[in-house]
Structure formats: structure tokens, C-alpha cells
Amino acid sequence: MPTQLPNERPLREPGAMELDPSGEGVAIDETRRLIASSKVEGTPVFDRAGEQLGTVYNFMVDKVSGQVAYVVMSFGGFLGIGESYHPLPWRALTYDTRLGGYVVDIDKDRLADAPRYGADEDPFMDDEYVAKVDAYYKTVPTA
Amino acid sequence: MPTQLPNERPLREPGAMELDPSGEGVAIDETRRLIASSKVEGTPVFDRAGEQLGTVYNFMVDKVSGQVAYVVMSFGGFLGIGESYHPLPWRALTYDTRLGGYVVDIDKDRLADAPRYGADEDPFMDDEYVAKVDAYYKTVPTA
């Protein structure tokens, strides 16, 4: 298991071919750079030590700007709670092309205290909740 | 039917409440500003005269930047062809909060000549196809 991941990796090696479908087991509706919104569910999310924390449940996209604002990560079990959902601000994530997933600079212990919600909740309707998410991840040291 | 739509509408009226769930029939996983990636399918796409051209099939999202690069619009029937998919560059679209959908500055006649693909194709793997899409919509006059 890798002990530390660089914060960013180049998306393409210099001089690499533009298309390399065999390189990473690229799936339908997914190129190295683009992924269909219908395919984001299940993308793994890792901590900075390379340990998987959960998987992407969905992206919350700004309808006007087209920018992903939050990634909702789902997981269940290892913290002793049922299936639950952690909204992660987009800027707290880095896509790692080698891992084929997102890296977030938070470990399991801190995640246990982070804002989460249950399957029957819709917290993005609540501005106060969203502000709490933003505030929580502002305190995460960057790299 | 409105004959001409302004290119952009303010997302919130000045002084409006931050949350107004009853205002626009807001659905689960959807606020006025954010929409879950799992819910984008079906969002209507209109031409500038307010006529519906099709619906969103999916968003193609840049995994690294989190920016939607293309909206794939599906439609079938009225042009005499089967279900097909039109990739629209994000910058060619404007979200209209009143219509609850996207407006693209192209009419049905021009759309008939625009790049499209069938259900069993995965054109985003093909850089030349993507370049063709970009080039096509560069020639659309902006408002």
C-alpha cells in the first residue's frame, strides 16, 4: 500500500498518445478526462495514505456554472454506522489518475466527526447544513 | 410561447429568501442551485424561442477540474431518426431558472446537421469527434 500520494498527478504523460484506451481499463462513457454523470457512482475515494474510505454516491453539480460543488461519498459499516453519506467539497478532492479515484486529505478518524446524513435525508436543501460542511473542511490542513 | 429568451436570468431575485422550496417545485436531490448527477437525466433543453428540443441524457464531467464539459442531449422522432444523442458544449448552454432547463442557441434545422451519435456508440473516446463538436458549436452565433 502506498504510504503517501503526491497531491496531483499529470493527466497525460508528456508525449503520450492522446488516446490510450487500454491504459487504464477505460469503461464505456469514460475517457481519461471525461466521465458521464451516470457513471460517477462507485468511483473510489481514498485517504492520502491510499486507503479507500468509500465510494462516490453522486456529484452535486451547480446547474448554472456546470461546476461540481460537492462529491457525496457513501460508505457503510467500518465506523459502526449504517450506510451514510458524506458531502465533500470539490476543492477538498484531488483526482488521482493512477488510482482511478479521488484522494481526500482526511483520515478515517476525522471522517467520523465530519458531517454526514442518512439515505432518507436531503441536506442540500438546508443552507445551514451546507455551510457546516464548508466550515468543517476549511479546517482540514491542505497537503 | 415566449418568442425570445434573454440569454441569462438571475438565479435569485435580489432580496429573495435563500431557500424557497415551494417556488419551483424543487425535487429531492435538487435545490435551486445544485442538482445531483443522478438526477440530471430528463432536464429539458430548449431553443431560444422556448421550444423544447430534447432532454438531458447525461453530463460529461471533467474528472480533474469538476467542470461539466458537454451536455449530451437525447431526442428521438421529430427529425425522422431514431433515438440519438447530441453532445452540446457546456458553454453553448444557459440554464434558465424559469423554464427549469437549458437553453441552447440553435434551432431544430441547424440541429439536424449537428454532430450526433447512436445509443451503441461512445464517441467521447474519439478526439476527432470531440473536436468536430467543438468546431460545430463555435460557428453558432452567440445571442
Side-chain angles (χ1 to χ4, degrees), chain B residues 34-55:
Chain B
L34 299 177
I35 186 168
S37 49
S38 54
K39 302 282 178 180
V40 299
E41 187 173 353
T43 303
V45 180
F46 302 94
D47 67 16
R48 285 181 57 78
E51 188 164 4
Q52 186 170 336
L53 295 170
T55 56

Side-chain angles (χ1 to χ4, degrees), chain B residues 19-71:
Chain B
L19 277 177
D20 180 17
S22 65
E24 299 174 16
V26 175
I28 295 292
D29 292 344
E30 181 169 359
T31 67
R32 295 184 75 164
R33 186 86 198 192
L34 299 177
I35 186 168
S37 49
S38 54
K39 302 282 178 180
V40 299
E41 187 173 353
T43 303
V45 180
F46 302 94
D47 67 16
R48 285 181 57 78
E51 188 164 4
Q52 186 170 336
L53 295 170
T55 56
V56 172
Y57 177 62
N58 63 27
F59 288 173
M60 295 300 294
V61 185
D62 186 310
K63 288 183 275 192
V64 175
S65 70
Q67 175 65 45
V68 177
Y70 300 91
V71 169

Side-chain angles (χ1 to χ4, degrees), chain A residues 5-11 48 93-97 103 143, chain B residues 64-65:
Chain A
L5 296 167
N7 201 35
E8 279 194 297
R9 291 170 175 279
L11 193 69
R48 285 182 56 79
L93 298 167
T94 304
Y95 188 75
D96 187 298
T97 54
V103 175
Chain B
V64 175
S65 70

